[in-house]
Coordinates of all heavy atoms in Angstrom, one line a residue:
K3 N 30.9 -44.5 -22.8 CA 31.8 -43.4 -23.0 C 31.4 -42.2 -22.1 O 30.2 -41.8 -22.2 CB 31.9 -43.0 -24.5 CG 32.8 -41.9 -24.8 CD 32.8 -41.6 -26.3 CE 33.7 -40.4 -26.5 NZ 33.7 -40.1 -27.9
T4 N 32.2 -41.7 -21.3 CA 31.9 -40.6 -20.4 C 32.3 -39.3 -21.1 O 33.4 -39.3 -21.7 CB 32.5 -40.7 -19.0 OG1 33.8 -40.8 -19.1 CG2 31.8 -41.8 -18.2
V5 N 31.5 -38.3 -20.9 CA 31.9 -37.0 -21.5 C 32.3 -36.1 -20.4 O 31.6 -35.9 -19.4 CB 30.7 -36.4 -22.2 CG1 31.0 -35.0 -22.8 CG2 30.2 -37.3 -23.3
A6 N 33.5 -35.5 -20.5 CA 34.0 -34.6 -19.5 C 33.2 -33.3 -19.6 O 33.0 -32.8 -20.6 CB 35.5 -34.4 -19.7
K7 N 32.8 -32.8 -18.4 CA 32.1 -31.6 -18.4 C 33.1 -30.4 -18.5 O 34.1 -30.4 -17.9 CB 31.3 -31.4 -17.0 CG 30.1 -32.3 -16.9 CD 29.4 -32.0 -15.7 CE 28.2 -32.9 -15.5 NZ 27.4 -32.6 -14.3
T8 N 32.6 -29.4 -19.2 CA 33.4 -28.2 -19.3 C 33.2 -27.4 -18.1 O 32.2 -27.6 -17.4 CB 33.0 -27.4 -20.6 OG1 31.6 -26.9 -20.3 CG2 33.1 -28.1 -21.9
P9 N 34.1 -26.5 -17.7 CA 33.9 -25.7 -16.5 C 32.6 -24.9 -16.6 O 31.9 -24.8 -15.6 CB 35.1 -24.7 -16.5 CG 36.1 -25.4 -17.4 CD 35.4 -26.3 -18.3
E10 N 32.2 -24.5 -17.8 CA 30.9 -23.8 -17.9 C 29.7 -24.7 -17.6 O 28.8 -24.3 -16.9 CB 30.7 -23.2 -19.3 CG 31.8 -22.1 -19.7 CD 33.1 -22.7 -20.2 OE1 33.2 -23.9 -20.5 OE2 34.1 -22.0 -20.2
A11 N 29.8 -25.9 -18.1 CA 28.7 -26.9 -17.8 C 28.6 -27.2 -16.3 O 27.6 -27.4 -15.8 CB 28.9 -28.1 -18.7
A12 N 29.8 -27.4 -15.7 CA 29.8 -27.7 -14.3 C 29.3 -26.5 -13.5 O 28.7 -26.8 -12.4 CB 31.2 -28.0 -13.9
A13 N 29.5 -25.4 -13.9 CA 29.0 -24.2 -13.2 C 27.5 -23.9 -13.3 O 26.9 -23.3 -12.4 CB 29.8 -22.9 -13.6
K14 N 26.9 -24.4 -14.3 CA 25.5 -24.2 -14.6 C 24.6 -24.6 -13.4 O 23.8 -23.9 -13.0 CB 25.0 -24.8 -15.9 CG 25.4 -23.9 -17.1 CD 24.8 -24.4 -18.3 CE 25.2 -23.5 -19.5 NZ 24.7 -23.9 -20.8
P15 N 24.7 -25.9 -12.9 CA 23.9 -26.3 -11.8 C 24.1 -25.4 -10.6 O 23.1 -25.0 -9.9 CB 24.3 -27.7 -11.5 CG 25.0 -28.2 -12.7 CD 25.6 -27.0 -13.4
K16 N 25.3 -24.9 -10.3 CA 25.5 -24.0 -9.2 C 24.8 -22.7 -9.4 O 24.2 -22.1 -8.5 CB 27.0 -23.9 -8.9 CG 27.7 -25.1 -8.4 CD 29.2 -24.8 -8.1 CE 29.8 -26.1 -7.6 NZ 31.2 -26.0 -7.5
A17 N 25.0 -22.2 -10.6 CA 24.3 -20.9 -10.9 C 22.8 -21.0 -10.8 O 22.2 -20.1 -10.3 CB 24.7 -20.5 -12.3
A18 N 22.2 -22.1 -11.3 CA 20.8 -22.3 -11.2 C 20.4 -22.4 -9.8 O 19.3 -21.8 -9.4 CB 20.4 -23.5 -12.0
S19 N 21.1 -23.1 -9.0 CA 20.7 -23.2 -7.6 C 20.9 -21.9 -6.8 O 20.1 -21.6 -5.9 CB 21.5 -24.3 -6.8 OG 22.9 -24.0 -6.8
A20 N 21.8 -21.1 -7.2 CA 22.0 -19.7 -6.7 C 20.8 -18.8 -7.0 O 20.3 -18.1 -6.2 CB 23.3 -19.1 -7.1
V21 N 20.3 -18.9 -8.3 CA 19.2 -18.2 -8.7 C 18.0 -18.6 -7.9 O 17.2 -17.8 -7.4 CB 19.0 -18.3 -10.2 CG1 17.6 -17.7 -10.6 CG2 20.1 -17.6 -11.0
K22 N 17.8 -19.9 -7.8 CA 16.7 -20.5 -7.0 C 16.7 -20.0 -5.6 O 15.7 -19.6 -5.0 CB 16.6 -22.0 -7.1 CG 15.4 -22.6 -6.4 CD 15.4 -24.1 -6.4 CE 14.2 -24.7 -5.7 NZ 13.6 -24.0 -4.7
A23 N 17.9 -20.0 -5.0 CA 18.0 -19.6 -3.6 C 17.7 -18.1 -3.5 O 17.0 -17.7 -2.5 CB 19.5 -19.8 -3.1
A24 N 18.1 -17.3 -4.4 CA 17.7 -15.8 -4.4 C 16.2 -15.7 -4.6 O 15.7 -14.8 -3.9 CB 18.5 -15.1 -5.5
T25 N 15.6 -16.5 -5.5 CA 14.2 -16.4 -5.7 C 13.5 -16.8 -4.4 O 12.5 -16.1 -4.0 CB 13.8 -17.3 -6.9 OG1 14.5 -16.8 -8.0 CG2 12.3 -17.2 -7.1
D26 N 13.9 -17.9 -3.8 CA 13.3 -18.4 -2.5 C 13.4 -17.3 -1.4 O 12.5 -17.1 -0.7 CB 13.9 -19.7 -2.0 CG 13.5 -20.9 -2.9 OD1 12.5 -20.7 -3.7 OD2 14.1 -21.9 -2.8
Q27 N 14.5 -16.6 -1.4 CA 14.8 -15.6 -0.4 C 13.8 -14.4 -0.6 O 13.4 -13.8 0.4 CB 16.2 -15.1 -0.5 CG 16.6 -14.1 0.6 CD 18.1 -13.7 0.4 OE1 18.8 -14.1 -0.5 NE2 18.5 -12.9 1.4
E28 N 13.4 -14.2 -1.8 CA 12.5 -13.0 -2.1 C 11.1 -13.4 -1.9 O 10.2 -12.5 -1.9 CB 12.8 -12.5 -3.6 CG 14.1 -11.9 -3.7 CD 14.4 -10.7 -2.8 OE1 13.5 -9.8 -2.7 OE2 15.4 -10.7 -2.1
K29 N 10.8 -14.7 -1.8 CA 9.4 -15.1 -1.6 C 8.9 -14.5 -0.3 O 9.5 -14.6 0.7 CB 9.2 -16.7 -1.6 CG 9.2 -17.3 -2.9 CD 8.9 -18.8 -2.7 CE 8.9 -19.4 -4.1 NZ 8.9 -20.9 -4.0
G30 N 7.8 -13.9 -0.4 CA 7.2 -13.2 0.8 C 7.7 -11.8 1.0 O 7.1 -11.1 1.8
R31 N 8.6 -11.3 0.2 CA 9.1 -9.9 0.3 C 7.9 -9.0 -0.1 O 7.3 -9.2 -1.1 CB 10.2 -9.7 -0.6 CG 10.7 -8.2 -0.4 CD 11.9 -8.0 -1.3 NE 12.3 -6.6 -1.2 CZ 13.5 -6.1 -1.5 NH1 14.5 -6.9 -1.9 NH2 13.8 -4.8 -1.3
P32 N 7.6 -8.1 0.8 CA 6.4 -7.2 0.4 C 6.8 -6.4 -0.8 O 7.9 -6.0 -1.0 CB 6.3 -6.2 1.6 CG 7.2 -6.7 2.7 CD 8.2 -7.7 2.0
Q33 N 5.7 -6.1 -1.6 CA 5.9 -5.3 -2.8 C 6.2 -3.9 -2.4 O 5.4 -3.2 -1.7 CB 4.6 -5.4 -3.7 CG 4.7 -4.6 -5.0 CD 5.7 -5.2 -6.0 OE1 5.8 -6.4 -6.1 NE2 6.5 -4.4 -6.6
G34 N 7.3 -3.4 -2.7 CA 7.7 -2.0 -2.4 C 7.4 -1.1 -3.5 O 7.1 -1.5 -4.6
L35 N 7.5 0.2 -3.2 CA 7.3 1.2 -4.2 C 8.7 1.8 -4.5 O 9.6 1.8 -3.7 CB 6.4 2.4 -3.7 CG 5.0 2.0 -3.2 CD1 4.3 3.2 -2.5 CD2 4.2 1.5 -4.4
S36 N 8.8 2.4 -5.8 CA 10.1 3.0 -6.1 C 10.3 4.3 -5.4 O 11.5 4.7 -5.2 CB 10.3 3.1 -7.6 OG 9.2 3.9 -8.1
A37 N 9.2 4.9 -5.0 CA 9.3 6.2 -4.2 C 7.9 6.4 -3.6 O 7.0 5.7 -3.9 CB 9.5 7.3 -5.2
P38 N 7.9 7.3 -2.5 CA 6.7 7.6 -1.9 C 5.6 8.1 -2.9 O 6.0 8.7 -3.9 CB 7.0 8.6 -0.8 CG 8.5 8.6 -0.7 CD 9.0 8.1 -1.9
R39 N 4.4 7.9 -2.6 CA 3.3 8.5 -3.4 C 3.3 10.0 -3.3 O 3.9 10.6 -2.4 CB 2.0 7.9 -3.0 CG 1.8 6.4 -3.2 CD 0.4 5.9 -2.8 NE 0.5 4.5 -2.6 CZ 0.2 4.0 -1.4 NH1 -0.2 4.7 -0.4 NH2 0.3 2.7 -1.2
A40 N 2.5 10.6 -4.2 CA 2.4 12.1 -4.1 C 1.9 12.5 -2.7 O 1.0 11.8 -2.2 CB 1.4 12.5 -5.2
G41 N 2.4 13.5 -2.2 CA 2.0 13.9 -0.8 C 3.0 13.5 0.2 O 3.0 13.9 1.3
G42 N 4.0 12.7 -0.2 CA 5.1 12.3 0.7 C 4.8 11.0 1.4 O 3.7 10.5 1.4
K43 N 5.8 10.6 2.1 CA 5.7 9.3 2.8 C 5.1 9.5 4.2 O 5.1 10.7 4.7 CB 7.1 8.7 3.0 CG 8.1 9.5 3.8 CD 9.5 8.9 3.8 CE 10.4 9.6 4.8 NZ 11.0 8.8 5.7
D44 N 4.5 8.5 4.7 CA 4.0 8.5 6.1 C 5.1 8.4 7.1 O 6.2 7.9 6.8 CB 3.0 7.3 6.3 CG 1.7 7.4 5.4 OD1 1.3 8.6 5.1 OD2 1.2 6.4 5.1
D45 N 4.8 8.9 8.3 CA 5.8 8.8 9.4 C 5.7 7.5 10.0 O 4.9 7.3 11.0 CB 5.6 10.0 10.4 CG 6.6 9.9 11.5 OD1 7.6 9.1 11.5 OD2 6.5 10.8 12.4
L46 N 6.4 6.5 9.5 CA 6.2 5.1 10.0 C 6.7 5.0 11.5 O 6.3 4.0 12.2 CB 7.0 4.1 9.1 CG 6.6 4.0 7.7 CD1 7.5 3.1 6.9 CD2 5.1 3.6 7.6
K47 N 7.4 5.9 12.0 CA 7.8 5.9 13.4 C 6.6 6.1 14.4 O 6.8 5.8 15.5 CB 8.8 7.0 13.7 CG 10.1 6.9 12.9 CD 11.2 8.0 13.2 CE 10.7 9.4 13.0 NZ 10.5 9.7 11.6
V48 N 5.5 6.5 13.8 CA 4.3 6.6 14.7 C 3.9 5.1 15.1 O 3.2 5.0 16.1 CB 3.1 7.3 13.9 CG1 1.8 7.2 14.7 CG2 3.5 8.7 13.6
I49 N 4.2 4.1 14.3 CA 3.9 2.7 14.7 C 4.8 2.4 15.9 O 6.1 2.5 15.7 CB 4.2 1.8 13.5 CG1 3.2 2.1 12.3 CG2 4.0 0.3 13.9 CD1 3.5 1.3 11.1
S50 N 4.2 1.9 16.9 CA 5.0 1.5 18.1 C 6.0 0.4 17.7 O 5.6 -0.6 17.1 CB 4.0 1.0 19.2 OG 4.8 0.6 20.3
G51 N 7.2 0.6 18.0 CA 8.3 -0.4 17.7 C 9.1 0.0 16.5 O 10.1 -0.7 16.2
V52 N 8.7 1.0 15.8 CA 9.4 1.5 14.6 C 10.2 2.8 15.0 O 9.5 3.8 15.3 CB 8.5 1.8 13.4 CG1 9.3 2.3 12.2 CG2 7.8 0.5 13.0
G53 N 11.5 2.7 15.0 CA 12.3 3.9 15.3 C 12.9 4.4 13.9 O 12.6 3.9 12.9
P54 N 13.7 5.4 14.1 CA 14.3 6.0 12.9 C 15.1 5.0 12.0 O 15.0 5.1 10.8 CB 15.2 7.1 13.4 CG 14.8 7.4 14.8 CD 14.1 6.1 15.3
K55 N 15.8 4.1 12.6 CA 16.6 3.2 11.8 C 15.8 2.2 11.1 O 16.0 1.9 9.9 CB 17.6 2.5 12.8 CG 18.6 1.5 12.1 CD 19.6 1.0 13.0 CE 20.6 0.1 12.6 NZ 20.9 -0.6 11.5
I56 N 14.7 1.7 11.8 CA 13.8 0.8 11.2 C 13.0 1.4 10.1 O 12.8 0.8 9.0 CB 12.9 0.1 12.2 CG1 13.8 -0.8 13.2 CG2 11.8 -0.8 11.6 CD1 13.0 -1.2 14.4
E57 N 12.6 2.7 10.3 CA 11.9 3.4 9.3 C 12.8 3.5 8.0 O 12.3 3.3 6.9 CB 11.5 4.8 9.7 CG 10.7 5.5 8.7 CD 10.3 6.9 9.1 OE1 11.2 7.7 9.6 OE2 9.1 7.3 8.9
T58 N 14.0 3.8 8.2 CA 14.9 4.0 7.1 C 15.1 2.6 6.3 O 15.1 2.6 5.1 CB 16.3 4.5 7.5 OG1 16.2 5.8 8.1 CG2 17.3 4.5 6.4
T59 N 15.2 1.5 7.1 CA 15.3 0.2 6.5 C 14.0 -0.1 5.7 O 14.1 -0.6 4.6 CB 15.5 -0.9 7.5 OG1 16.7 -0.6 8.2 CG2 15.7 -2.2 6.9
L60 N 12.8 0.2 6.3 CA 11.6 0.0 5.5 C 11.5 0.8 4.3 O 11.1 0.3 3.2 CB 10.4 0.2 6.5 CG 10.2 -0.7 7.6 CD1 9.1 -0.2 8.6 CD2 9.9 -2.1 7.1
N61 N 11.9 2.1 4.4 CA 12.0 2.9 3.2 C 12.9 2.3 2.1 O 12.6 2.4 0.9 CB 12.4 4.3 3.6 CG 11.4 5.1 4.4 OD1 11.7 6.2 4.9 ND2 10.1 4.6 4.5
D62 N 14.0 1.8 2.5 CA 15.0 1.2 1.6 C 14.3 0.0 0.9 O 14.7 -0.3 -0.2 CB 16.2 0.7 2.3 CG 17.1 1.9 2.8 OD1 16.9 3.1 2.3 OD2 18.0 1.7 3.6
L63 N 13.3 -0.7 1.6 CA 12.6 -1.8 1.0 C 11.4 -1.3 0.1 O 10.7 -2.1 -0.5 CB 12.1 -2.7 2.1 CG 13.1 -3.5 2.8 CD1 12.5 -4.2 4.0 CD2 13.9 -4.5 1.9
G64 N 11.2 0.0 0.1 CA 10.1 0.6 -0.7 C 8.8 0.6 0.1 O 7.7 0.8 -0.5
I65 N 8.9 0.6 1.4 CA 7.7 0.7 2.3 C 7.7 2.1 2.8 O 8.6 2.5 3.6 CB 7.8 -0.4 3.4 CG1 8.0 -1.8 2.9 CG2 6.5 -0.3 4.3 CD1 7.0 -2.3 1.9
Y66 N 6.7 2.9 2.4 CA 6.7 4.3 2.8 C 5.3 4.7 3.5 O 5.2 5.8 4.0 CB 6.8 5.2 1.6 CG 8.1 5.0 0.8 CD1 8.1 4.3 -0.4 CD2 9.2 5.7 1.2 CE1 9.3 4.1 -1.1 CE2 10.4 5.5 0.5 CZ 10.5 4.7 -0.6 OH 11.6 4.6 -1.3
H67 N 4.3 3.8 3.4 CA 3.0 4.2 3.8 C 2.3 3.2 4.7 O 2.6 2.0 4.6 CB 2.1 4.4 2.5 CG 2.7 5.4 1.6 ND1 2.6 6.7 1.8 CD2 3.3 5.2 0.4 CE1 3.2 7.4 0.8 NE2 3.6 6.4 -0.1
F68 N 1.5 3.7 5.6 CA 0.8 2.8 6.5 C 0.0 1.7 5.8 O -0.1 0.6 6.3 CB -0.1 3.6 7.4 CG 0.5 4.7 8.3 CD1 0.1 6.0 8.3 CD2 1.6 4.3 9.1 CE1 0.7 6.9 9.1 CE2 2.3 5.3 9.9 CZ 1.8 6.6 9.9
D69 N -0.7 2.1 4.7 CA -1.5 1.1 4.0 C -0.7 -0.1 3.5 O -1.2 -1.2 3.4 CB -2.4 1.7 3.0 CG -1.6 2.3 1.8 OD1 -0.6 3.0 2.0 OD2 -2.0 2.0 0.6
Q70 N 0.5 0.2 3.2 CA 1.4 -0.9 2.7 C 1.6 -1.9 3.8 O 1.5 -3.1 3.6 CB 2.8 -0.4 2.2 CG 2.8 0.4 1.0 CD 4.2 0.9 0.6 OE1 4.6 1.9 1.1 NE2 4.9 0.2 -0.2
V71 N 2.0 -1.4 5.0 CA 2.2 -2.3 6.2 C 0.8 -3.0 6.5 O 0.8 -4.2 6.8 CB 2.7 -1.5 7.4 CG1 2.9 -2.4 8.6 CG2 4.1 -0.9 7.0
A72 N -0.3 -2.2 6.5 CA -1.6 -2.8 6.8 C -2.0 -3.9 5.9 O -2.7 -4.8 6.3 CB -2.6 -1.7 6.8
A73 N -1.4 -4.0 4.7 CA -1.8 -5.0 3.7 C -1.0 -6.3 3.8 O -1.2 -7.2 3.2 CB -1.7 -4.4 2.3
W74 N 0.1 -6.2 4.7 CA 0.9 -7.4 4.8 C 0.2 -8.6 5.3 O -0.6 -8.6 6.2 CB 2.1 -7.2 5.8 CG 3.1 -6.2 5.3 CD1 3.3 -5.7 4.1 CD2 4.2 -5.7 6.1 NE1 4.4 -4.9 4.0 CE2 5.0 -4.8 5.3 CE3 4.6 -5.9 7.4 CZ2 6.1 -4.1 5.7 CZ3 5.7 -5.1 7.9 CH2 6.4 -4.3 7.0
K75 N 0.4 -9.7 4.7 CA -0.1 -11.1 5.0 C 1.0 -11.8 5.8 O 2.1 -11.3 6.0 CB -0.6 -11.9 3.8 CG -1.6 -11.1 3.0 CD -2.9 -11.0 3.7 CE -4.0 -10.4 2.8 NZ -4.8 -9.5 3.5
K76 N 0.7 -13.0 6.2 CA 1.7 -13.7 7.0 C 3.0 -13.9 6.3 O 4.1 -13.7 7.0 CB 1.1 -15.1 7.4 CG 2.1 -15.9 8.3 CD 1.5 -17.2 8.8 CE 2.4 -18.0 9.6 NZ 3.7 -17.6 10.0
A77 N 3.1 -14.2 5.1 CA 4.3 -14.3 4.3 C 5.2 -13.1 4.4 O 6.4 -13.1 4.6 CB 4.1 -14.8 2.9
Q78 N 4.5 -11.9 4.2 CA 5.2 -10.6 4.2 C 5.7 -10.3 5.6 O 6.8 -9.9 5.8 CB 4.4 -9.5 3.7 CG 4.2 -9.5 2.2 CD 3.0 -10.4 1.8 OE1 2.1 -10.6 2.5 NE2 3.1 -10.9 0.6
I79 N 4.9 -10.6 6.6 CA 5.3 -10.4 8.0 C 6.5 -11.2 8.3 O 7.5 -10.7 8.9 CB 4.1 -10.6 9.0 CG1 3.0 -9.6 8.8 CG2 4.6 -10.6 10.4 CD1 1.7 -10.1 9.4
D80 N 6.4 -12.5 8.0 CA 7.5 -13.4 8.3 C 8.8 -13.0 7.5 O 9.9 -13.0 8.1 CB 7.2 -14.8 7.8 CG 6.1 -15.4 8.7 OD1 5.8 -14.9 9.8 OD2 5.5 -16.5 8.3
W81 N 8.7 -12.5 6.3 CA 9.9 -12.0 5.5 C 10.5 -10.9 6.2 O 11.7 -10.8 6.4 CB 9.5 -11.7 4.1 CG 10.7 -11.5 3.2 CD1 11.3 -12.4 2.4 CD2 11.4 -10.3 3.0 NE1 12.4 -11.9 1.8 CE2 12.5 -10.5 2.1 CE3 11.3 -9.0 3.5 CZ2 13.4 -9.6 1.8 CZ3 12.2 -8.0 3.1 CH2 13.2 -8.3 2.3
V82 N 9.7 -9.8 6.5 CA 10.2 -8.6 7.1 C 10.8 -8.9 8.5 O 11.9 -8.4 8.8 CB 9.2 -7.5 7.1 CG1 9.7 -6.3 7.9 CG2 8.7 -7.1 5.8
D83 N 10.1 -9.7 9.2 CA 10.6 -10.2 10.6 C 12.0 -10.8 10.5 O 12.8 -10.5 11.2 CB 9.5 -11.1 11.2 CG 9.8 -11.3 12.7 OD1 9.6 -10.3 13.4 OD2 10.1 -12.4 13.1
G84 N 12.1 -11.7 9.5 CA 13.4 -12.4 9.3 C 14.5 -11.4 8.8 O 15.6 -11.4 9.2
Y85 N 14.1 -10.5 7.9 CA 15.0 -9.5 7.3 C 15.5 -8.6 8.4 O 16.7 -8.3 8.4 CB 14.3 -8.7 6.2 CG 15.2 -7.7 5.5 CD1 16.0 -8.2 4.5 CD2 15.2 -6.4 5.8 CE1 16.8 -7.3 3.8 CE2 16.0 -5.5 5.1 CZ 16.8 -5.9 4.1 OH 17.7 -5.1 3.5
L86 N 14.6 -8.2 9.3 CA 15.0 -7.3 10.4 C 15.6 -8.1 11.6 O 16.0 -7.4 12.6 CB 13.8 -6.4 10.8 CG 13.3 -5.5 9.8 CD1 12.0 -4.8 10.3 CD2 14.3 -4.4 9.4
N87 N 15.5 -9.4 11.5 CA 15.9 -10.2 12.7 C 15.2 -9.9 13.9 O 15.8 -9.7 15.0 CB 17.4 -10.2 12.8 CG 18.0 -11.3 13.7 OD1 17.4 -12.4 13.8 ND2 19.1 -11.1 14.3
F88 N 13.9 -9.8 13.8 CA 13.0 -9.3 14.9 C 12.5 -10.4 15.8 O 11.9 -10.1 16.9 CB 11.9 -8.5 14.4 CG 12.1 -7.1 14.3 CD1 13.3 -6.5 14.6 CD2 11.1 -6.2 13.8 CE1 13.5 -5.1 14.5 CE2 11.3 -4.9 13.8 CZ 12.5 -4.3 14.1
K89 N 12.5 -11.6 15.4 CA 12.0 -12.8 16.2 C 10.6 -12.5 16.7 O 10.3 -12.7 17.9 CB 13.0 -13.0 17.3 CG 14.4 -13.4 16.9 CD 15.3 -13.6 18.0 CE 16.7 -14.0 17.6 NZ 17.7 -13.0 17.5
G90 N 9.7 -12.2 15.8 CA 8.3 -12.1 16.1 C 7.8 -10.7 16.6 O 6.7 -10.5 17.0
R91 N 8.7 -9.7 16.6 CA 8.4 -8.4 17.2 C 7.3 -7.7 16.4 O 6.5 -7.0 17.0 CB 9.7 -7.5 17.2 CG 9.5 -6.2 17.7 CD 10.8 -5.5 17.8 NE 10.6 -4.0 18.0 CZ 11.5 -3.1 18.0 NH1 12.8 -3.6 17.8 NH2 11.3 -1.9 18.2
I92 N 7.2 -7.9 15.1 CA 6.1 -7.2 14.3 C 4.7 -7.7 14.8 O 3.9 -6.8 15.0 CB 6.3 -7.6 12.8 CG1 7.6 -6.9 12.3 CG2 5.1 -7.2 12.0 CD1 7.9 -7.4 10.9
Q93 N 4.6 -8.9 15.1 CA 3.3 -9.4 15.7 C 3.1 -9.0 17.1 O 2.0 -8.6 17.5 CB 3.2 -10.9 15.5 CG 3.0 -11.3 14.0 CD 3.5 -12.7 13.7 OE1 4.5 -13.1 14.2 NE2 2.8 -13.3 12.8
R94 N 4.2 -9.0 17.9 CA 4.0 -8.6 19.3 C 3.7 -7.2 19.4 O 2.9 -6.8 20.3 CB 5.4 -8.9 20.1 CG 5.6 -10.3 20.5 CD 6.7 -10.5 21.5 NE 8.0 -9.8 21.1 CZ 8.9 -10.3 20.3 NH1 8.7 -11.5 19.8 NH2 10.0 -9.6 20.0
D95 N 4.3 -6.4 18.6 CA 4.0 -4.9 18.7 C 2.7 -4.5 17.9 O 2.4 -3.4 17.8 CB 5.2 -4.1 18.1 CG 6.4 -4.1 19.1 OD1 6.2 -4.5 20.3 OD2 7.5 -3.7 18.7
K96 N 2.1 -5.5 17.2 CA 0.9 -5.3 16.5 C 1.0 -4.2 15.4 O 0.1 -3.3 15.3 CB -0.3 -5.0 17.4 CG -0.5 -6.1 18.4 CD -1.7 -5.8 19.3 CE -2.0 -7.1 20.1 NZ -1.5 -7.1 21.5
W97 N 2.0 -4.3 14.6 CA 2.3 -3.3 13.6 C 1.1 -3.3 12.6 O 0.7 -2.2 12.1 CB 3.5 -3.7 12.8 CG 4.8 -3.4 13.4 CD1 5.1 -3.1 14.7 CD2 6.1 -3.3 12.7 NE1 6.4 -2.9 14.9 CE2 7.0 -3.0 13.7 CE3 6.5 -3.4 11.4 CZ2 8.4 -2.8 13.4 CZ3 7.8 -3.3 11.1 CH2 8.8 -3.0 12.1
I98 N 0.6 -4.4 12.2 CA -0.5 -4.5 11.2 C -1.7 -3.7 11.7 O -2.3 -2.9 11.0 CB -0.8 -5.9 10.8 CG1 0.4 -6.7 10.4 CG2 -1.8 -6.0 9.7 CD1 1.4 -6.1 9.4
A99 N -2.2 -4.1 12.9 CA -3.4 -3.4 13.5 C -3.1 -1.9 13.6 O -4.0 -1.1 13.3 CB -3.7 -4.0 14.9
Q100 N -1.9 -1.5 14.1 CA -1.6 -0.1 14.2 C -1.7 0.6 12.8 O -2.2 1.7 12.7 CB -0.2 0.1 14.8 CG -0.1 -0.3 16.3 CD 1.3 0.0 16.7 OE1 1.7 1.2 16.8 NE2 2.0 -1.0 17.1
A101 N -1.1 0.0 11.8 CA -1.0 0.5 10.5 C -2.4 0.6 9.9 O -2.7 1.6 9.2 CB -0.1 -0.3 9.6
K102 N -3.3 -0.3 10.2 CA -4.7 -0.3 9.6 C -5.4 0.9 10.2 O -6.1 1.7 9.5 CB -5.4 -1.5 10.0 CG -5.0 -2.7 9.1 CD -5.8 -4.0 9.5 CE -5.4 -5.1 8.5 NZ -6.0 -6.4 8.9
K103 N -5.2 1.2 11.5 CA -5.9 2.4 12.1 C -5.3 3.7 11.6 O -6.0 4.6 11.3 CB -5.7 2.4 13.6 CG -6.5 1.4 14.3 CD -6.3 1.4 15.9 CE -7.1 0.4 16.6 NZ -6.8 0.3 18.0
L104 N -4.0 3.7 11.4 CA -3.3 4.9 10.9 C -3.6 5.2 9.4 O -3.5 6.3 9.0 CB -1.8 4.8 11.2 CG -1.4 4.8 12.6 CD1 0.1 4.3 12.8 CD2 -1.6 6.2 13.2
S105 N -3.9 4.2 8.6 CA -4.1 4.4 7.2 C -5.5 4.9 6.9 O -5.8 5.2 5.8 CB -3.8 3.1 6.4 OG -4.8 2.1 6.8
K106 N -6.4 4.9 7.9 CA -7.8 5.4 7.7 C -7.9 6.9 7.7 O -7.1 7.6 8.2 CB -8.7 4.8 8.8 CG -8.9 3.3 8.6 CD -9.9 2.8 9.6 CE -10.0 1.3 9.4 NZ -10.9 0.7 10.3

């Protein structure tokens, strides 16, 4: 005897896969802050390759400080690179090395 699936039951696998896709998409996303720390945000435009538009996008992701960028590992670099559609520009422009020097 086959049991007909209700529309709700049929939708559950799709909903679960959508949640998994969203979770996978967030893997590697750098931990952002809800606001800049006391003292205000750093001028991320000082990093070669970061202009006003990119700085705004980073701020929208909760990235406000050099030490945040300096702490990125490969997964975070890859995520931001993909999010910004940069095709390796973060590594070519050496954002991490620049941010490490600027955060000292």
